[in-house]
Amino acid sequence: MGFFKSIKLYNFRNFDKFSIDFSKNCNVFYGNNGSGKTNLLEAISLFSKGRGLRKDKISNFIKHDCEEFQINSEFCNSEIIYNLFSGSKIYNNKPKKIISVNNDKTKETLENIYNLLPFLFFVPDFERLFVSSPSNRRNFIDQFIFSYDSSYNKLINQYNKFIQERSNLLLNNKLDEIWLEQLEKKISEYGIKIYRSRANLLSSLIENLNIYLRSFNLNNVINVKLNDSFYEKHIDLNKFQAELKKNRTIDSYTGGSKIGPHKSDFIFFLNKDYLVSQLSTGQQKTLILLIYLSHCKFIIDVKKKQPILLLDEICSHLDDINRKILLTLVESFDLQIFMTGTNQNLFSFLSTNTNFCNIKIR
């Protein structure tokens, strides 16, 4: 099991200097709004690829009137201690995030630590998963895939890059046929990989979710429908390329691409035909928590990874069944979990082994 032992912050968000030691199991940060609880979760998340929990600009991580931020942490895995560093440096007049492991910034070393740090995030916006936009559901599912496949983010970024390059050619009437065909081939290859990754994730997720529904005596069945007319045609590489070529004219007017996994939506149903989006807020929260429970089981049992959970403001809409599910998530797996809330009493259902820390406004 990998876990963070401690963290030290310098000029990060509202923190000037701050340090804290962690339990290798459950950690709860509580305090008033604006005290920095979410900022602390965000600092931990910056040891992953990308821009962290809230996907913010690097410049916004830096405390006001400071030039750069620094985060130091000790991470333990298989009795080996890694000294992790995340911070910012100015390149071409813009702050850029940098990461090192034991002062080593090589790509190979960073990839190794990314594989040891499969993060899984929860932010309050996810409570509206079933009623929010299709892009939010796509991002939610992509985050789950990225939690066990650190290369998936690159796949998504490359796909979007090829879509944009093709769009620029079409919008500027630069009809280089050879280059267009190469781009459309790449878009098709990457798009099919994304479709398949999402389908595989959802298959395992729904299977585990329905098992947990029965175990909690919630006598319902969840299924999910992919709302994507193009993918439902059982496309292959040649069909994908042919459809992209066919759509060049309309795409030259609208930009982007009319088809592809960036257009997909995922509609969740209860007992075949009742939209999950029509359930009460508390019932939707139940399913969200069960989704996290189901995914943790999948990552641990199938992918043989142990995710680190960052759960921000997780305690809203917690009735008895939701407390039981969250407690099961904490106690069923040997995982390090970080949670935030405004009051320690919100977490009274957790075991006495939980590490509580009162974060005060700085």
Side-chain angles (χ1 to χ4, degrees):
M1 170 188 175
F3 63 94
F4 288 94
K5 294 187 66 178
S6 63
I7 198 167
K8 296 179 180 179
L9 310 180
Y10 301 91
N11 301 329
F12 182 81
R13 294 287 195 182
N14 66 314
F15 295 102
D16 180 14
K17 292 183 180 180
F18 179 80
S19 63
I20 185 173
D21 294 329
F22 301 134
S23 162
K24 69 177 182 178
N25 300 119
C26 188
N27 300 268
V28 171
F29 308 137
Y30 68 95
N32 295 331
N33 291 327
S35 59
K37 305 182 300 295
T38 302
N39 293 342
L40 189 49
L41 290 190
E42 188 173 41
I44 298 169
S45 74
L46 286 178
F47 291 111
S48 67
K49 287 183 177 179
R51 293 174 293 159
L53 186 73
R54 291 182 284 196
K55 297 180 172 58
D56 206 348
K57 296 179 180 179
I58 303 301
S59 59
N60 290 339
F61 298 145
I62 305 171
K63 185 177 173 65
H64 183 63
D65 289 336
C66 296
E67 294 184 356
E68 60 185 40
F69 75 88
Q70 296 182 14
I71 307 169
N72 293 286
S73 182
E74 287 187 332
F75 181 79
C76 181
N77 186 75
S78 299
E79 299 185 355
I80 299 174
I81 303 295
Y82 298 89
N83 292 308
L84 306 183
F85 171 84
S86 178
S88 62
K89 290 290 183 184
I90 301 297
Y91 292 94
N92 297 323
N93 296 318
K94 290 184 178 181
K96 180 180 179 182
K97 173 187 163 185
I98 56 173
I99 295 181
S100 67
V101 182
N102 298 331
N103 294 319
D104 187 347
K105 300 177 186 176
T106 60
K107 182 177 179 180
E108 181 180 4
T109 297
L110 295 182
E111 288 297 330
N112 286 337
I113 204 67
Y114 293 146
N115 286 328
L116 294 178
L117 285 170
F119 282 105
L120 193 58
F121 305 151
F122 172 89
V123 294
D125 285 350
F126 289 166
E127 291 194 10
R128 295 180 51 80
L129 174 69
F130 306 114
V131 296
S132 62
S133 67
S135 64
N136 285 341
R137 283 186 285 278
R138 290 193 297 270
N139 291 337
F140 182 85
I141 290 167
D142 287 342
Q143 182 225 156
F144 272 37
I145 298 171
F146 182 63
S147 68
Y148 60 80
D149 180 1
S150 61
S151 67
Y152 184 71
N153 195 43
K154 182 178 180 180
L155 175 65
I156 292 288
N157 289 339
Q158 286 292 100
Y159 172 80
N160 290 331
K161 177 184 175 183
F162 293 138
I163 290 284
Q164 187 60 53
E165 286 188 31
R166 174 179 177 270
S167 181
N168 290 340
L169 286 177
L170 294 176
L171 289 171
N172 294 321
N173 293 317
K174 295 180 180 179
L175 299 182
D176 184 332
E177 186 68 26
I178 295 177
W179 183 230
L180 269 174
E181 287 184 358
Q182 288 298 315
L183 283 175
E184 288 169 351
K185 181 179 180 181
K186 286 294 185 181
I187 290 169
S188 301
E189 290 174 350
Y190 282 53
I192 289 173
K193 288 179 181 178
I194 294 169
Y195 275 131
R196 288 174 178 168
S197 294
R198 290 174 177 172
N200 291 337
L201 180 278
L202 283 167
S203 176
S204 298
L205 191 63
I206 296 302
E207 180 181 357
N208 284 337
L209 177 58
N210 285 316
I211 290 173
Y212 277 120
L213 280 167
R214 292 193 296 271
S215 71
F216 283 97
N217 296 316
L218 300 172
N219 298 317
N220 295 296
V221 175
I222 297 294
N223 61 81
V224 60
K225 177 185 177 183
L226 173 63
N227 189 7
D228 187 319
S229 59
F230 173 67
Y231 184 73
E232 289 172 353
K233 295 177 182 178
H234 306 290
I235 49 94
D236 59 20
L237 184 63
N238 291 332
K239 287 182 180 179
F240 205 142
Q241 287 182 256
E243 193 72 12
L244 286 170
K245 185 173 184 178
K246 175 183 173 182
N247 290 337
R248 285 179 185 175
T249 299
I250 189 171
D251 288 343
S252 69
Y253 290 110
T254 61
S257 171
K258 182 181 177 182
I259 62 167
H262 62 291
K263 295 291 187 179
S264 295
D265 192 10
F266 305 91
I267 311 300
F268 290 78
F269 292 90
L270 184 73
N271 300 330
K272 293 186 179 180
D273 58 0
Y274 191 86
L275 285 169
V276 167
S277 59
Q278 299 301 306
L279 295 173
S280 71
T281 302
Q283 289 172 312
Q284 291 184 43
K285 181 64 172 279
T286 296
L287 291 177
I288 295 293
L289 292 175
L290 286 174
I291 284 174
Y292 276 85
L293 186 59
S294 302
H295 189 55
C296 284
K297 182 173 177 58
F298 170 69
I299 296 180
I300 293 167
D301 291 351
V302 177
K303 297 300 181 179
K304 307 303 179 184
K305 291 179 177 287
Q306 292 175 297
I308 293 170
L309 271 60
L310 304 178
L311 311 178
D312 190 28
E313 299 295 342
I314 192 68
C315 281
S316 64
H317 307 110
L318 284 192
D319 56 15
D320 288 343
I321 185 64
N322 288 345
R323 289 188 185 92
K324 185 177 179 181
I325 294 170
L326 188 54
L327 183 61
T328 302
L329 179 61
V330 171
E331 295 185 344
S332 293
F333 311 110
D334 188 20
L335 301 176
Q336 187 173 42
I337 301 176
F338 298 91
M339 293 187 276
T340 69
T342 54
N343 194 300
Q344 184 175 353
N345 292 334
L346 294 171
F347 302 91
S348 59
F349 60 93
L350 296 176
S351 79
T352 54
N353 292 328
T354 300
N355 177 39
F356 290 94
C357 181
N358 185 6
I359 307 299
K360 299 181 180 180
I361 294 177
R362 296 170 183 277

